[in-house]
Amino acid sequence: MYHNPVLLKKSVDDLVTNPDGIYVDCTFGGGGHSREILSRLSEKGKLYAFDQDLDALKNTIDDPRFTLINQNFRFLENALMMYGVSKVDGILADFGVSSHQFDEAERGFSTRSNAPLDMRMNVMQLLDAKKVINEYEEEHLADILYQYGEIRESRKLAREIVNHRKLKPIETTEDLKKLFSYIPQFKQNKVFAQIFQAIRIEVNQELEVIKELLVQAHRMLKPGGRLVAISYHSLEDRLVKRFLKNGMFEGEPARDIYGNYDKTFDLLQTKAVVPDSEEIKENSRARSAKLRTGIKLK
């Protein structure tokens, strides 16, 4: 299976309120969410899906109501306008890396396989993990490991990388892991996962892209339209949670003398929805997923 969609029924239940409406799947992947959305639409309904990964194009759906756009979802607004779409009824974004990208060893996403340092979701872009590891300044590397990997000893790890690459380039995922073989074995899996997450986020500008999507999604949604977002780590979820709450990513909104502020969304659920034990048993990658749904206010 290319990708086992997470929180499939719940996410589409939240999303589709008008069978005749226009919907967007920002992260097409294997098409699991898209197929479920289409099953809820009438003949008048329309679904646009985005995916920058060329591999995902092989999963396209033969349906006159469906259009697959081979672009990063950061271009949501402009791409939809090319199809004459200015407003939509719902937008779904399932963030993170697809199962296919993890399972394709040569992509370099997984800590379990030895592969070239790549980690690009869009294989046509120039920046890859090898460039980040071998060319970034030590301070920049440390900041990435701290901010995106939430690693407390980021300065020490960055120093190890820089000292080693002076002797020999770091070219594979195994080369990178060997640098930190001194870490106690019971900690290694967690630390490696944090390092790989940090580098992957930098390579693909994941957090900036999510911010751009959320802002555009608010503009594109009709009043009453729904934004459904599935996040897989605290950095993603924090952005979604704050934006749905007050339309901001940092700071606090201006309040009136009574302490009220202008909201942009109503929350469908006050707390994030998480997979149940049965789904986690069937799909271990669902374990960290959190779903939040906002309804655009008039």
Side-chain angles (χ1 to χ4, degrees):
M1 182 176 290
Y2 186 98
H3 181 69
N4 191 1
V6 174
L7 290 162
L8 177 61
K9 187 175 186 301
K10 174 59 180 170
S11 61
V12 180
D13 284 348
D14 283 5
L15 181 73
V16 179
T17 57
N18 174 18
D20 297 337
I22 300 173
Y23 292 89
V24 181
D25 179 357
C26 294
T27 44
F28 177 69
H33 283 112
S34 283
R35 287 180 173 83
E36 183 65 22
I37 294 168
L38 287 167
S39 75
R40 313 285 186 94
L41 299 184
S42 70
E43 292 183 1
K44 296 179 181 178
K46 183 67 179 175
L47 174 62
Y48 294 88
F50 285 75
D51 207 302
Q52 63 182 329
D53 192 336
L54 293 174
D55 286 351
L57 300 184
K58 302 170 186 175
N59 304 318
T60 191
I61 302 168
D62 184 14
D63 190 311
R65 302 170 297 168
F66 177 77
T67 300
L68 179 56
I69 301 170
N70 182 213
Q71 287 198 44
N72 189 307
F73 56 65
R74 75 190 313 170
F75 303 115
L76 174 78
E77 206 165 15
N78 286 340
L80 289 178
M81 285 182 178
M82 293 289 289
Y83 289 91
V85 178
S86 59
K87 292 292 178 184
V88 300
D89 295 88
I91 297 173
L92 169 66
D94 180 4
F95 300 127
V97 183
S98 74
S99 300
H100 171 76
Q101 288 167 332
F102 271 123
D103 293 340
E104 290 287 299
E106 67 271 16
R107 302 289 292 272
F109 285 102
S110 175
T111 61
R112 300 190 305 271
S113 305
N114 187 25
L117 281 169
D118 193 327
M119 303 192 195
R120 293 173 296 171
M121 293 183 183
N122 177 3
V123 295
M124 304 301 288
Q125 74 176 39
L126 297 178
L127 181 64
D128 61 11
K130 183 178 177 181
K131 189 176 182 71
V132 171
I133 290 295
N134 287 283
E135 298 183 22
Y136 274 28
E137 297 289 339
E138 181 178 325
E139 185 175 354
H140 193 183
L141 263 179
D143 288 344
I144 289 167
L145 293 173
Y146 181 75
Q147 293 169 8
Y148 298 159
E150 300 180 292
I151 301 172
R152 290 182 180 180
E153 297 184 337
S154 61
R155 305 255 167 239
K156 179 182 177 182
L157 300 190
R159 195 178 310 120
E160 294 273 3
I161 291 170
V162 171
N163 287 340
H164 183 88
R165 75 189 192 193
K166 289 177 182 176
L167 305 174
K168 183 182 178 183
I170 302 166
E171 299 193 347
T172 69
T173 54
E174 201 63 33
D175 289 344
L176 181 60
K177 288 169 63 178
K178 283 179 181 177
L179 297 186
F180 309 113
S181 58
Y182 62 85
I183 295 173
Q185 196 162 10
F186 71 94
K187 288 185 177 180
Q188 283 186 5
N189 286 343
K190 181 181 179 182
V191 174
F192 291 158
Q194 289 173 300
I195 293 170
F196 276 54
Q197 173 181 296
I199 298 166
R200 191 198 76 225
I201 289 174
E202 171 65 16
V203 168
N204 298 290
Q205 297 183 288
E206 291 177 31
L207 300 185
E208 290 305 311
V209 169
I210 289 173
K211 288 180 184 178
E212 292 177 29
L213 170 67
L214 294 174
V215 171
Q216 292 178 62
H218 181 257
R219 289 198 296 258
M220 294 292 296
L221 283 168
K222 299 174 183 177
R226 296 188 174 192
L227 171 61
V228 180
I230 304 173
S231 306
Y232 293 88
H233 55 74
S234 60
L235 299 176
E236 294 173 342
D237 185 56
R238 196 175 301 138
L239 293 177
V240 174
K241 182 179 179 180
R242 287 182 62 85
F243 189 77
L244 291 180
K245 180 182 178 183
N246 58 30
M248 301 176 69
F249 301 112
E250 297 176 355
E252 292 296 325
R255 298 174 182 267
D256 63 22
I257 59 173
Y258 303 105
N260 300 315
Y261 61 90
D262 290 333
K263 293 183 178 181
T264 49
F265 288 93
D266 266 337
L267 300 180
L268 191 61
Q269 302 95 7
T270 55
K271 294 185 177 181
V273 176
V274 298
D276 59 24
S277 57
E278 190 63 32
E279 179 168 2
I280 293 171
K281 184 179 179 181
E282 293 178 3
N283 180 11
S284 62
R285 287 172 179 162
R287 185 179 296 109
S288 59
K290 290 185 176 181
L291 181 150
R292 297 185 189 272
T293 300
I295 304 171
K296 183 175 176 178
L297 294 169
K298 295 182 179 179

